[in-house]
Amino acid sequence: STKLYTIASRCGVFAKSDIQPLINQGADKRDISASIFSAVVNQTIGGLAQGRAIEGNVLYLGGPLTFMPELRKSFDKALSLKGLCPENSLYYVALGAAFCAHRQVDLKEVIADLSRYEAVNEFQTLPPLFANEKEYQEFQERHARADVTYGKLEDYPGLAWIGIDAGSTTAKAVVIGEEKEILDSIYLSNSGNPVPIVREYLSSVYRRCPNIRIAGSCVTGYGEDIIKNAFSIDLGLVETMAHLKAAQAFMPDVEFIIDIGGQDMKCFKIHNSAIDNIYLNEACSSGCGSFLQTFAGALHYSSSEFSRLGLFSQNAVDLGSRCTVFMNSSVKQAQKDGVSTENISAGLSISVVKNAIYKVIRPASMDELGKRIVVQGGTFLNDAVLRAFEREMGFFVVRPKIAGLMGAYGCALHAMESSKKRRT
């Protein structure tokens, strides 16, 4: 590495929000790696030692320090000493526990005691998201009406426009035709670098429709600069405007827009077709898509599988709306006390909504948001989150069927409008 970047270290979510733009902007991964080590060191020394001197014989224990020599070097440099990572450093806590053992136990008795364990904590539960399959079917049919027209890319004869949303965790792109119909689209994980994803997609568009006439293109999102420069995209558009333009395509008189993405949350109050106020998640992204993705992975489910589990939960556990780290403790305790995965899934989806409403938007009353609300972003493709949001608000909202593509769709519409203005 040759340089260090400033990365927030007090929270893994903040750190991820600092790291993702660096990756999207093409920062050297060696520099990013060294910066992450430095952030860990700073947090450990500043947050845990709290001004107390770390000196003398320093022992490095645990997995990260055992397996990452560069992390040990970062600590050595910051502390101006040479720490020791002993053999079997991974097992020192277990060894300490063994040394503290002072009596013999019968393992069969221990197993019997564990089998008789009963929950001691009582969790508050919430009403089911859906009472039955019929109610869920009506919910799906209502939201399916907020859709766009689709066309076929292959052999398309007219002009086309491309919109790209290089988000924090995903890359989205759409190709629209002259009637604003979607000819083609992608929604993929960017794997830390959106350039290869976008390059492959653009190449596939030309392979499938060699004679396509691209009249304009536009990009938004975290990776706007790198994508615009890499592929000579015509326009860049700030995310708020991209999402507003897409929302107005579904509801011209929209009064409020809430977009929940992978790591950020954006809410816009609309007045006279213009953005009047903006609300952002300033403190933590515990109410965003990566929050649910983290828990789904920890419980060995894909995000979509995990969200479906909670749809018909009968006793959703009330987990509140706290930081991911604290929420993880609540989830672990709920598991120990026998709460089902279905009820945990529903509880987490509800917590996302409560975080959005009460910690980001913070309305004095629901009426001040208006009744014409469009929700978008990949997180709202989770039916459990959408249902919880409608129930908390007390009225129905509109979720476009392309909720996860709204940034890219808004860009494509902007590119179309701009090219038409240039021609006239």
Side-chain angles (χ1 to χ4, degrees):
S1 62
T2 59
K3 67 172 72 172
L4 291 179
Y5 295 101
T6 299
I7 292 176
S9 57
R10 67 190 177 106
C11 170
V13 173
F14 285 139
K16 190 175 180 182
S17 296
D18 281 344
I19 294 164
Q20 195 66 54
L22 292 173
I23 294 173
N24 291 344
Q25 291 162 18
D28 192 316
K29 292 183 179 178
R30 293 170 295 186
D31 293 336
I32 294 175
S33 177
S35 301
I36 293 170
F37 287 142
S38 178
V40 171
V41 170
N42 291 337
Q43 171 61 18
T44 304
I45 295 174
L48 299 182
Q50 296 182 344
R52 298 176 182 87
I54 299 176
E55 55 191 7
N57 296 322
V58 174
L59 210 59
Y60 293 148
L61 304 179
L65 284 164
T66 298
F67 295 118
M68 298 179 182
E70 292 302 319
L71 180 58
R72 297 198 297 269
K73 291 178 183 177
S74 295
F75 270 104
D76 286 345
K77 182 178 179 181
L79 296 172
S80 299
L81 51 76
K82 182 67 176 178
L84 173 66
C85 185
E87 187 179 0
N88 295 323
S89 58
L90 283 176
Y91 311 115
Y92 263 50
V93 175
L95 284 169
F99 292 149
C100 289
H102 60 274
R103 66 182 179 89
Q104 289 186 336
V105 296
D106 186 330
L107 289 180
K108 290 183 179 179
E109 289 181 7
V110 173
I111 293 170
D113 288 342
L114 288 173
S115 67
R116 292 191 293 268
Y117 173 79
E118 293 182 0
V120 292
N121 284 7
E122 291 187 2
F123 284 89
Q124 289 186 323
T125 59
L126 302 165
L129 293 172
F130 294 99
N132 49 52
E133 187 70 42
K134 181 175 181 292
E135 192 173 74
Y136 179 50
Q137 188 68 33
E138 291 171 351
F139 167 88
Q140 286 186 307
E141 290 173 357
R142 173 165 54 85
H143 284 289
R145 291 195 288 269
D147 203 359
V148 296
T149 304
Y150 294 88
K152 190 175 181 182
L153 178 66
E154 284 74 9
D155 301 321
Y156 173 72
L159 297 176
W161 293 265
I162 292 179
I164 300 170
D165 182 0
S168 58
T169 58
T170 56
K172 289 85 68 176
V174 299
V175 181
I176 65 171
E178 295 176 358
E179 302 300 321
K180 300 181 181 179
E181 74 276 26
I182 292 182
L183 303 173
D184 197 62
S185 65
I186 60 160
Y187 187 117
L188 296 171
S189 169
N190 63 24
S191 302
N193 184 1
V195 173
I197 304 292
V198 173
R199 182 172 61 116
E200 174 55 33
Y201 179 67
L202 295 177
S203 298
S204 74
V205 168
Y206 283 104
R207 281 197 303 269
R208 287 179 290 152
C209 188
N211 298 318
I212 191 170
R213 293 180 292 162
I214 304 296
S217 57
C218 180
V219 61
T220 191
Y222 281 81
E224 176 186 329
D225 290 340
I226 192 170
I227 295 299
K228 188 177 180 182
N229 293 324
F231 302 105
S232 299
I233 302 296
D234 297 322
L235 303 166
L237 185 63
V238 66
E239 286 184 77
T240 50
M241 293 306 300
H243 288 290
L244 172 61
K245 193 164 290 292
Q248 289 175 331
F250 290 88
M251 185 185 284
D253 56 349
V254 59
E255 297 176 309
F256 196 85
I257 300 169
I258 175 168
D259 174 81
I260 303 181
Q263 288 181 201
D264 59 8
M265 185 186 304
K266 300 175 287 291
C267 308
F268 323 130
K269 178 69 177 172
I270 312 301
H271 181 67
N272 291 334
S273 298
I275 296 175
D276 186 57
N277 203 352
I278 298 176
Y279 310 83
L280 301 173
N281 57 321
E282 300 170 351
C284 181
S285 68
S286 62
C288 302
S290 61
F291 170 77
L292 291 175
Q293 189 176 24
T294 296
F295 283 105
L299 296 171
H300 309 293
Y301 290 95
S302 68
S303 296
S304 57
E305 289 172 335
F306 187 63
S307 67
R308 284 196 297 270
L309 287 174
L311 291 175
F312 299 102
S313 156
Q314 294 303 302
N315 296 291
V317 61
D318 188 354
L319 295 166
S321 56
R322 298 182 295 165
C323 161
T324 305
V325 174
F326 291 113
M327 193 75 78
N328 189 55
S329 299
S330 297
V331 170
K332 294 296 184 187
Q333 187 60 52
Q335 286 180 303
K336 290 178 184 177
D337 289 347
V339 176
S340 70
T341 303
E342 289 79 4
N343 289 330
I344 290 174
S345 171
L348 288 170
S349 294
I350 293 169
S351 77
V352 165
V353 168
K354 288 185 174 181
N355 185 74
I357 295 175
Y358 301 115
K359 292 189 177 179
V360 177
I361 304 173
R362 291 179 285 194
S365 71
M366 298 303 179
D367 292 335
E368 74 177 56
L369 304 184
K371 298 292 184 181
R372 303 188 67 76
I373 295 179
V374 173
V375 299
Q376 52 197 50
T379 303
F380 274 114
L381 293 173
N382 180 330
D383 285 341
V385 171
L386 177 59
R387 177 66 168 181
F389 184 78
E390 287 188 331
R391 196 171 66 185
E392 200 71 27
M393 295 296 295
F395 53 84
F396 294 152
V397 300
V398 170
R399 177 194 64 184
K401 202 167 182 180
I402 59 167
L405 296 171
M406 292 290 273
Y409 187 60
C411 278
L413 295 176
H414 180 66
M416 172 186 279
E417 290 178 8
S418 298
S419 68
K420 287 181 177 179
K421 287 178 183 177
R422 289 197 300 270
R423 289 201 300 273
T424 56

